Structure formats: structure tokens, C-alpha cells
Amino acid sequence: MQDGTPWPGNNTRDHPGMIQVYLGSGGALDVEGKELPRLVYISREKRPGYQHHKKAGAMNALVRVSAVLTNAPFMLNLDCDHYINNSKALREAMCFLMDPQLGKKLCYVQFPQRFDGIDHHDRYANRNTVFFDINMKGLDGIQGPVYVGTGTVFNRQALYGYDPPVSEKRPKMTCDCWPSWCCCCCGGSRKSKSKKKGLASLLGGLYTKKKKMMGKNYVRKGSGTMFDLEEIEEGLEGYEELEKSSLMSQKNFEKRFGQSPVFIASTLMEDGGLPEGTNSTTLIKEAIHVISCGYEEKTEWGKEIGWIYGSVTEDILTGFKMHCRGWKSVYCIPKRPAFKGSAPINLSDRLHQVLRWALGSVEIFLSRHCPLWYGYGGKLKLLERLAYINTIVYPFTSIPLLAYCTIPAVCLLTGKFIIPTLNNLASIWFLALFLSIIATGILELRWSGVSLEDWWRNEQFWVIGGVSAHLFAVFQGLLKVLAGVDTNFTVTAKAADDAEFGELYLFKWTTLLIPPTTLIILNMVGVVAGISDAINNGYGSWGPLFGKLFFAFWVILHLYPFLKGLMGRQNRTPTIVVLWSILLSSIFSLVWVRIDPFLPKQTGPILKQCGVEC
């Protein structure tokens, strides 16, 4: 620092909360003489022995500080490796969030992720084109796309755990032609409704909107001066106790949001903004207070408010909680990409990225927030629930996928066929299912505009990630949640040359590389064994062999990008990977041939011909 003392944030695990305001309310002006927006650097307090919850905890700290210093009604969330590529992107988001009909019920506007620096063929499907241009578009027609962690503009009130406003029902049509005795029951109802309406209008001058939160009625006050929450109850003097009970006490507010009257006051302001007559020095001190280590203790931060803790994929969990409360989201795809970022383009980093996502899905599956059983009786639509179920169960498909990638090699080694003999009716059902899957894929490609090459790359990496990262995520998640054992797959890098896309050929050793390599070698061994067997048995065995080879080559074709990445530019693979894979495939082949479960087991005594002609 200027006085020669070390900067207090040098120790990343033990330092006080720090806030530096680069541009404040009286900051610099632009070339047109207009005031530039505020620019604030925030570093939350870190102390040993406290749970900091990584990215989710940092985002919650940012929510509290921004509420105290500026309290804007909308927030943009970007990853540190993303940048704004379209200056009009925020305006397009505001078109949704400020819409008089739809905007009040929107929790966020999600933009697709676009990336720079990816090789032209996108060998490892880094662009995720099928997900962002097919799946997310489909969700936009139900209750909205899932939150993907970046490129998102939030409605601040949705992060506070409030329910969306209830739509006002249209008044029922009445007719004066009915006899008076026929409407006697309805008359009392109209009188009661008119009484409630008058009471609501009486409260409407002081309170603007009523929200539900955790089964209780919460009232959010319009923008205005508010620091002492006791003014809420004082403002209701003269009203009945029933109306007073609809408010939260200060104690309940603090139990939910934490002990910060300034922050609690900001949550009650419908349209954001700071109270009048605020002091910047006081606000800075309060902002330092809300990013302290112990602020979230005994509150609902990370449980019902803000970014939800408990998973490495806190984005899916946070969006899921919002949709369960009845909020909707919108998918916005401008012609010019709104935001761009960087993606890990080499094989090892890409697999570890997929492993982290899959591990988060397994953690959610084994938690109380699993979409299979959480939130029933809420406002989550059935199709939206099925979409969330798909986001958390897909790692478990790695187990049957591993079997399907192994069976072709097994059939070649044992001389059996992968598909059993089917009767005519079963063949028709099988053909109809196969054709319907193809037709669905064609319609999705035509509707979304996704190219066939992008779709094929996605299919290839689904197999590569399924038999490696997804499989490891299932076992790692089970060990972590059920046994409390946290495993880690280390990455060891080997340098690559500095040519274009040099990072693509950068090899990093990791355990995730062993299963796909084993599958490739196993299927290649099966191909060699099948061809050798056909050569020995003559012309008649070549016909059935082609069907077996088709499935084996189909597996190898899906794993081809992995094989190419494993060989690298110099076509050199680390010896340990080859040795492990050959060892595993050899043991599996020999054991299977020795056991051969396809052969019928003989029971009883073994009978041999005596060789004597009777």
C-alpha cells in the first residue's frame, strides 16, 4: 500500500472485507458530460473455520452490497472469462423485464453462451450447440430456460425468495335479467368482496404490493425513506389487528435476511433505489458489515434466498427454486451474440469441466432439492419438472452406455450377435421406434437451424463424456454424499507448441482417460478377433460378421475424437495410458472367453464315446 504496509488481501484465506469505490455518485463524466455509472470493487471477508461457499457465497455477498450501495432492480451476472459482445444486449433484456404484462413475473432473462478461440471443427463440442439452440429454445415455450450460471439478467426481487405477483382475475359477467331470489346468495358474496376491495384500497396508499414468502404474507413498501423497520408497524396505527398481522416483525426479517436494517429496507422497495438523505460513509460501513463472515449464520441465505448452496452447480439449483415458486424465465437470442467467453478446448480440461457439471447433478439428485420429489404442490409445471429431472439424472445413463459400448466387442470375441432374433411384430415395433427417433432428430435440426456437423459432434462427445466423466461423477457423487469421501482426479499438464490452437494439443494426464481408451482397444481387439475367426471358418461366416463389425465400428467412430485427442499432434500417447488400457482390455477379453456365459452349462456326468462299433 502507499504507506508500505502489505495489502490486507494478500492472504486469500484470511483477510478483512474490502470495498473500493472507483466511481461514486459524484464520479467522472463521459464525453457527453453525463455521469458514468458506479464502479465498485468488492472482496468479502475470509477467515479460517468459516464456510465461504465459493461462487455461490460470493454472488450472495455481491447481492447484499449492491442492495446497500445502489439497489438497482435488475442485475447482470457474468463469469470472469466472459465479456459483453453486444452493447444493446441489456436493452433487449429490459424489453422483457420491464414489460407491463410479463415483466413482473420474470425472474431472469437468459442469454446463450458463445465462445471464442474454439477450433473450426469443434472437436469436443465446446459450443454445446444442441443444448443452447435446441433444448433451451424448447424450455422457453414451457416455463422458461434453466439458469446456466452466466449471461443472465436477474430480477432482484426473485432472488429474495418472494413469490411472483398473482395475476388479477377478470371480473365475472353479471346479468340483471335473473330474478332477485336467484341472486340472493351472490349478493352477500359481492358485498363481502366489495368490503375487501375497500380495505385493500385503504392499504394501497401505504403498501404497493403483497408477496408470499415461506407461507406468510410479506408486504414490500414503495421507494422511500426507510431505515427503522418499526416505522412499518407505526404506519399501520388505526388499522385492525388482522392487517397488522400480515406484516413481518423486525425479528423475523432479521432471521431471514440478517441483521442489517439498511439491507432489509432495500428489499421492501418495489422499484429499487436508495432512501432519501442517505450518507455515503454510512452506506460503505453497512456494506462492509453485510460481507462479513458471520453475517449469513442463522439466516436463510443459501437456503431460500439468493444463490442456493449444496451443489457445485449452484446455477441449476437456484433457477429450480425460482421456478418452483412460480416465476418464469425467458430465453433471449439476439442476432449479434450478447456475451462471449473462453472454453477449455483440450481434451483433459473439457472432461474435467463435464465432470464438475455431472457431479453437481448427482449432488442435487441425492439432496432434498431433487426434482423427482421436491416442490410438489407448488407452481412448477409438469414439463418443466421433467426437464429439470433430465438435468440431474443424465450422469446415470453412463452405466447402460458403458454396457452398450462393451457389448459389440464381447459379441465379436464370443461369436454371438448383439441383437437377438425377433419375431415379425417385435421387428415392426423396433423399426417404428428407430424411425421415430430419426424423425425427431431431423425435425429438431430443421426447427433450430443446427447443422448436421454440430449435431454429430454433440453425439460423439456425449459418448466420450458418458463413459468417462459421467461415470466417474456417479461414483464420486455417491462416495461424497453417502460416505463423506471427497475424491479428486489430478491433472498433470504436458506442454504443447505455441502454434494456432496449441492448447488443443496440450496433453494433461488424468484418470478420466482410462475408460474410453480401454473401450477403444477392446473394440479393436474384438474386430481383429472377429475377422480372424471368419478367415478360419470360411466363406459362410462372413455374412453374420458384417453386422457385428457395424456395431463395433459405430462405437469406434463415436470415440474417434477422443482417440485423435489422445494421440495429439505428434501421434504420441503417454505409455501409462496405453499400458493400463491394454492390461484392462486383455484381462477382460481373456476372462470373458474363459467364462463365456453364452455357452450352455452342462449338468450331470460327462459322457464320452467308447469308440467300439457294436
Side-chain angles (χ1 to χ4, degrees):
M1 301 176 69
Q2 291 182 355
D3 57 357
T5 58
W7 179 252
N10 285 346
N11 188 349
T12 57
R13 297 184 179 182
D14 188 3
H15 66 81
M18 296 175 288
I19 294 179
Q20 185 170 357
V21 180
Y22 290 98
L23 291 177
S25 57
L29 304 178
D30 62 9
V31 292
E32 298 179 354
K34 297 180 180 179
E35 182 180 340
L36 290 173
R38 296 188 180 184
L39 179 60
V40 182
Y41 171 80
I42 301 168
S43 179
R44 57 191 173 131
E45 183 183 11
K46 294 285 187 69
R47 299 298 182 193
Y50 284 89
Q51 281 285 346
H52 299 109
H53 302 290
K54 300 180 180 179
K55 178 183 175 181
M59 296 298 296
N60 286 336
L62 283 171
V63 170
R64 295 192 293 270
V65 172
S66 62
V68 171
L69 296 182
T70 56
N71 198 30
F74 309 115
M75 296 183 296
L76 170 64
N77 165 219
L78 280 182
D79 276 351
C80 58
D81 58 349
H82 280 64
Y83 65 91
I84 298 178
N85 185 63
N86 184 350
S87 61
K88 297 183 179 180
L90 295 181
R91 177 176 294 184
E92 297 203 24
M94 292 303 107
C95 290
F96 293 103
L97 290 168
M98 300 181 71
D99 183 87
Q101 299 295 329
L102 180 67
K104 296 294 184 181
K105 294 187 176 182
L106 289 184
C107 52
Y108 58 82
V109 176
Q110 179 66 61
F111 291 87
Q113 290 189 41
R114 306 299 185 202
F115 302 99
D116 290 326
I118 298 177
D119 61 301
H120 304 297
H121 298 290
D122 193 14
R123 183 185 299 176
Y124 306 123
N126 282 282
R127 294 189 179 93
N128 285 328
T129 310
V130 173
F131 175 75
F132 286 112
D133 291 346
I134 296 181
N135 297 354
M136 296 285 275
K137 282 184 179 179
L139 290 175
D140 194 37
I142 307 175
Q143 197 172 344
V146 299
Y147 168 45
V148 298
T150 182
T152 315
V153 181
F154 278 96
N155 180 352
R156 182 185 289 271
Q157 296 298 327
L159 288 168
Y160 291 155
Y162 290 112
D163 283 354
V166 180
S167 301
E168 295 183 1
K169 295 183 179 180
R170 295 179 59 184
K172 294 183 179 180
M173 299 294 292
T174 57
C175 182
D176 297 333
C177 60
W178 291 96
S180 58
W181 59 268
C182 201
C183 299
C184 61
C185 296
C186 300
S189 176
R190 286 197 298 268
K191 184 176 180 181
S192 175
K193 289 180 180 178
S194 63
K195 182 178 180 181
K196 291 181 180 179
K197 185 177 180 181
L199 184 60
S201 62
L202 184 65
L203 293 174
L206 181 61
Y207 297 97
T208 58
K209 180 172 282 189
K210 184 177 289 186
K211 293 285 183 178
K212 285 186 177 180
M213 193 162 58
M214 295 295 290
K216 298 181 180 180
N217 291 330
Y218 288 61
V219 181
R220 297 210 316 274
K221 191 174 179 182
S223 300
T225 304
M226 178 184 293
F227 281 95
D228 190 359
L229 292 176
E230 294 179 357
E231 295 178 6
I232 299 177
E233 296 183 358
E234 293 176 0
L236 281 184
E237 291 182 357
Y239 295 110
E240 299 179 0
E241 292 297 326
L242 179 64
E243 282 71 44
K244 289 183 180 180
S245 64
S246 67
L247 296 174
M248 290 184 63
S249 65
Q250 181 173 354
K251 183 178 180 180
N252 290 334
F253 265 113
E254 292 178 350
K255 183 179 180 181
R256 185 172 181 82
F257 293 111
Q259 297 183 357
S260 173
V262 180
F263 174 76
I264 295 173
S266 69
T267 66
L268 300 174
M269 294 181 179
E270 180 73 18
D271 300 320
L274 295 175
E276 297 178 0
T278 55
N279 187 337
S280 59
T281 305
T282 306
L283 291 180
I284 289 292
K285 291 182 179 179
E286 192 68 21
I288 291 289
H289 168 60
V290 297
I291 59 174
S292 59
C293 284
Y295 183 83
E296 293 184 356
E297 291 185 355
K298 298 182 180 180
T299 66
E300 296 187 2
W301 283 100
K303 301 174 184 175
E304 299 294 334
I305 303 174
W307 274 256
I308 308 301
Y309 304 149
S311 172
V312 295
T313 53
E314 72 288 329
D315 45 9
I316 297 292
L317 205 53
T318 302
F320 175 62
K321 297 274 285 189
M322 292 181 182
H323 283 133
C324 285
R325 295 190 184 100
W327 291 93
K328 296 180 179 179
S329 56
V330 164
Y331 198 45
C332 182
I333 313 178
K335 291 183 179 180
R336 180 184 177 92
F339 312 102
K340 281 191 173 183
S342 58
I345 65 173
N346 68 71
L347 178 61
S348 304
D349 288 344
R350 178 73 168 122
L351 288 178
H352 271 268
Q353 182 188 56
V354 174
L355 172 65
R356 187 174 68 253
W357 294 343
L359 178 59
S361 296
V362 175
E363 289 175 344
I364 297 175
F365 178 81
L366 299 174
S367 70
R368 71 182 186 92
H369 291 115
C370 178
L372 286 169
W373 51 73
Y374 181 83
Y376 282 97
K379 301 176 182 178
L380 187 69
K381 293 185 178 180
L382 176 61
L383 291 178
E384 190 79 4
R385 181 179 296 277
L386 292 176
Y388 273 107
I389 290 174
N390 179 62
T391 61
I392 58 103
V393 301
Y394 75 89
F396 295 94
T397 61
S398 60
I399 298 175
L401 182 62
L402 181 65
Y404 277 111
C405 290
T406 308
I407 287 176
V410 171
C411 293
L412 286 168
L413 291 171
T414 57
K416 306 298 179 180
F417 194 48
I418 187 173
I419 299 178
T421 304
L422 302 177
N423 56 32
N424 293 334
L425 181 61
S427 301
I428 294 174
W429 279 109
F430 177 79
L431 185 62
L433 177 63
F434 189 71
L435 292 177
S436 65
I437 294 174
I438 295 177
T440 303
I442 294 174
L443 289 174
E444 285 182 347
L445 295 181
R446 295 286 296 174
W447 166 69
S448 62
V450 174
S451 66
L452 186 61
E453 182 183 7
D454 289 332
W455 176 83
W456 175 241
R457 290 299 185 198
N458 182 82
E459 291 296 309
Q460 287 180 311
F461 195 78
W462 173 69
V463 176
I464 295 171
V467 298
S468 57
H470 297 172
L471 186 66
F472 277 72
V474 171
F475 292 105
Q476 186 177 356
L478 291 174
L479 288 174
K480 184 177 180 180
V481 176
L482 301 180
V485 179
D486 192 3
T487 57
N488 184 25
F489 303 103
T490 58
V491 177
T492 305
K494 288 192 175 182
D497 28 356
D498 296 329
E500 185 182 9
F501 303 118
E503 188 184 352
L504 179 64
Y505 306 101
L506 180 68
F507 183 82
K508 298 181 179 181
W509 157 249
T510 173
T511 320
L512 299 177
L513 302 176
I514 294 179
T517 311
T518 304
L519 285 176
I520 290 177
I521 296 178
L522 188 62
N523 279 274
M524 288 182 175
V525 170
V527 169
V528 174
I531 295 176
S532 302
D533 183 69
I535 293 174
N536 294 330
N537 294 332
Y539 179 78
S541 60
W542 283 95
L545 177 65
F546 286 118
K548 304 173 187 177
L549 291 178
F550 170 78
F551 290 101
F553 279 117
W554 189 245
V555 173
I556 296 173
L557 193 61
H558 275 83
L559 294 173
Y560 173 71
F562 174 85
L563 179 63
K564 194 172 181 180
L566 196 66
M567 301 300 291
R569 175 173 289 178
Q570 294 79 18
N571 292 331
R572 295 180 60 188
T573 304
T575 308
I576 186 173
V577 177
V578 177
L579 290 178
W580 267 105
S581 302
I582 292 178
L583 178 64
L584 291 177
S585 58
S586 301
I587 292 175
F588 181 83
S589 302
L590 293 173
V591 170
W592 192 275
V593 172
R594 178 68 181 87
I595 298 175
D596 199 357
F598 288 99
L599 294 178
K601 300 296 185 292
Q602 190 173 12
T603 57
I606 300 176
L607 303 178
K608 295 183 179 180
Q609 294 183 357
C610 62
V612 178
E613 295 182 2
C614 299

